[in-house]
Amino acid sequence: MLINKHILLGVSGGIAAYKAAELVRLLRKQGAEVRVVMTKSAMQFIAPLTFQALSGNPVHSELLDADAENAMGHISLARWADLLIIAPATANLIAKLTHGLADDLLSTLYLAATCPVYVAPAMNQAMWNKTVTQENIEKLQHHGVKIIGPEQGDQACGETGYGRMSEPVAICNYLTDAPENQSSSPVQCLQGLKVLISTGPTREPLDPVRYLTNRSSGKMGYALANAALKAGAEVTLVSGPVALTAPANCELVPVETAAQMYEAVMSRASGHTIYIGAAAVADYSPAIMQSEKIKKQEEQTTIILQKTKDILADVAKLDKRPFTVGFAAETHNLETYARDKLVRKKLDMIAANWVGREQGGFDSEQNALHVFWESGEKTLAMTDKTRLAEQLISLIAERFFIKS
Ligand code: PMT
């Protein structure tokens, strides 16, 4: 995954420049932030506007542009980049990089960059096979540059041989798999995002001394809050009554009833990027709360229950809705019920867990999840809730970045 990686994509002037547009899309799908630098001749093949629209950032092409130097000049761009990929790289550009020429923005950036550099060559097969090109490639490799491709096949010029730029998906996979792009420390995959989590049980009062509740301990939600903080998010934790200490650096909103949880979540949801509903909210609460203690009378008695408002479904209906993740706690038909909740409540994801079993679910140190979204699913095996929460947060970040 390339979550939050700053990727500088250099595009030089060859027919394969159109493939670079697909590369931008794939890199962004992997969670990367992409900025594009084009040479003058690249702009003859594809309009900068295409890259601007796909990357969501202005395209850079001028070395000596007063405005650009004030904002993202060549040194700032080089410092910003976690990796530089040049695709397509023409024979001319490869020659310039090999010899340290810096007569335009892209070749200057290459000299200024201290991050890993990848080059995906694209040229006519005869140009690729020319001794001088092969010597240049060897030198670049010797300088630490990683060469991706080229591939063999039919070329735009009508010839066949090595010189076709590698497919964008192959380039993207190469970057994703490269060990130097793997994070060794906890991935700050939610850096700067605001995450709202609801957790714990609710208590629905019958009279001043009694209430209806459930077995939720809040452990799953508190573990998610810790994992989201570790991933760099700002966290708000709306918590039912539990015996846990909230992480010091999150905003804790204690609530008791389903109605209070509804108010606390709904008033905050639009101000957050992601909402995770891990709370075991009462589906029904007593229609009337008696003001005095109910006296023991008949052998049997009846309590009239009133449906509570569905917090998760209402968050997903908001005009400015966060990326909405629900939980499903089931004693049977886990997948069917979870998929039904995903669709019916219009969620982005749902994390389903078995409850009422010996291991996992309510008030257990461990849990396992089967996570569903519109186009996929993933099983997170039984492990302690801390580890499980980290895995779920990574998955949420991955799906969130793909969707946005
Ligand atoms: O707290 P722990 O002891 O660590 O246990 C964790 C857990 C089992 C409580 C947790 O993993 C979990 O499954 N939470 C959801 C429990 C639940 O109420 O599931 P549900 O299938 O009944 O509800 C589906 C979803 O709708 C949930 O996201 C729930 O928060 C939400 N909901 C339900 C009713 C309601 N009125 N409003 C809601 O938002």
Side-chain angles (χ1 to χ4, degrees):
M1 293 304 302
L2 299 169
I3 289 170
N4 284 344
K5 278 257 181 241
H6 288 179
I7 298 187
L8 205 50
L9 169 63
V11 183
S12 64
I15 186 65
Y18 78 93
K19 288 188 185 175
E22 173 64 359
L23 182 57
V24 174
R25 202 185 64 79
L26 292 173
L27 293 172
R28 290 206 70 198
K29 247 181 120 172
Q30 293 291 323
E33 191 180 335
V34 182
R35 286 181 175 269
V36 178
V37 174
M38 297 179 80
T39 63
K40 286 273 167 343
S41 47
M43 289 194 268
Q44 308 281 323
F45 288 92
I46 182 164
L49 206 55
T50 304
F51 289 113
Q52 181 172 323
L54 288 170
S55 69
N57 283 312
V59 170
H60 306 263
S61 57
E62 299 294 332
L63 177 57
L64 301 171
D65 176 333
D67 289 343
E69 284 300 310
N70 286 339
M72 263 277 180
H74 65 279
I75 297 297
S76 336
L77 262 178
R79 282 198 196 123
W80 173 87
D82 293 321
L83 69 90
L84 168 64
I85 162 82
I86 302 176
T90 59
N92 179 57
L93 183 76
I94 288 170
K96 286 203 317 193
L97 302 185
T98 310
H99 297 284
L101 293 183
D103 62 352
D104 64 4
L105 182 59
L106 184 51
S107 51
T108 307
L109 269 173
Y110 168 73
L111 277 189
T114 51
C115 59
V117 179
Y118 305 83
V119 164
M123 65 196 74
N124 164 271
Q125 55 86 26
M127 292 168 76
W128 173 252
N129 287 321
K130 200 64 144 194
T131 310
V132 67
T133 304
Q134 289 304 311
E135 284 173 358
N136 287 342
I137 289 289
E138 258 178 56
K139 275 193 197 146
L140 277 187
Q141 284 174 317
H142 183 68
H143 297 161
V145 173
K146 306 269 173 34
I147 309 294
I148 309 174
E151 307 299 328
Q152 194 180 21
D154 294 340
Q155 300 202 298
C157 55
E159 296 177 16
T160 304
Y162 279 96
R164 283 168 62 100
M165 187 176 95
S166 295
E167 290 305 315
V169 69
I171 299 175
C172 186
N173 287 342
Y174 187 102
L175 297 178
T176 314
D177 294 344
E180 62 274 17
N181 297 330
Q182 313 285 318
S183 217
S184 53
S185 57
V187 193
Q188 295 277 295
C189 55
L190 294 179
Q191 188 70 49
L193 301 187
K194 294 180 87 173
V195 176
L196 177 64
I197 298 170
S198 58
T199 188
T202 60
R203 283 179 183 169
E204 309 306 320
L206 283 161
D207 68 16
V209 294
R210 303 183 181 95
Y211 52 76
L212 299 178
T213 190
N214 59 62
R215 295 179 190 279
S216 170
S217 63
K219 285 176 193 161
M220 194 66 239
Y222 277 61
L224 284 166
N226 274 310
L229 286 165
K230 219 165 141 186
E234 235 179 86
V235 177
T236 307
L237 186 60
V238 175
S239 176
V242 295
L244 299 172
T245 307
N249 37 357
C250 83
E251 188 200 349
L252 176 70
V253 185
V255 294
E256 194 155 314
T257 64
Q260 288 168 0
M261 190 172 273
Y262 184 91
E263 282 312 314
V265 170
M266 294 303 289
S267 61
R268 289 169 176 81
S270 291
H272 287 75
T273 337
I274 296 173
Y275 169 61
I276 309 173
V281 189
D283 289 324
Y284 290 91
S285 74
I288 300 164
M289 185 205 149
Q290 303 295 340
S291 55
E292 290 174 0
K293 187 181 168 201
I294 302 165
K295 286 292 174 208
K296 186 163 49 177
Q297 286 165 343
E298 313 298 324
E299 273 306 300
Q300 291 191 336
T301 186
T302 305
I303 300 165
I304 308 224
L305 299 174
Q306 179 78 40
K307 222 177 189 177
T308 57
K309 289 203 252 184
D310 194 312
I311 306 170
L312 190 61
D314 283 358
V315 167
K317 279 185 204 149
L318 288 169
D319 285 340
K320 193 170 171 270
R321 67 176 254 172
F323 184 86
T324 308
V325 183
F327 266 74
E330 310 293 348
T331 53
H332 57 293
N333 295 343
L334 183 81
E335 178 163 351
T336 312
Y337 288 143
R339 283 192 186 278
D340 170 67
K341 283 172 187 167
L342 177 74
V343 175
R344 191 164 37 83
K345 299 194 186 192
K346 297 190 170 53
L347 308 178
D348 294 296
M349 289 176 88
I350 192 153
N353 48 195
W354 291 107
V355 288
R357 297 190 164 193
E358 222 167 81
Q359 235 194 339
F362 286 109
D363 199 17
S364 156
E365 295 306 319
Q366 296 205 316
N367 204 10
L369 292 171
H370 196 159
V371 190
F372 301 93
W373 57 96
E374 194 187 6
S375 56
E377 62 188 273
K378 188 163 185 171
T379 305
L380 304 177
M382 183 68 69
T383 184
D384 60 273
K385 284 183 177 170
T386 304
R387 174 87 194 102
L388 187 69
E390 286 171 3
Q391 292 171 348
L392 181 59
I393 287 292
S394 293
L395 188 58
I396 291 172
E398 187 182 317
R399 300 306 315 163
F400 168 75
F401 281 111
I402 287 171
K403 198 154 180 201
S404 55

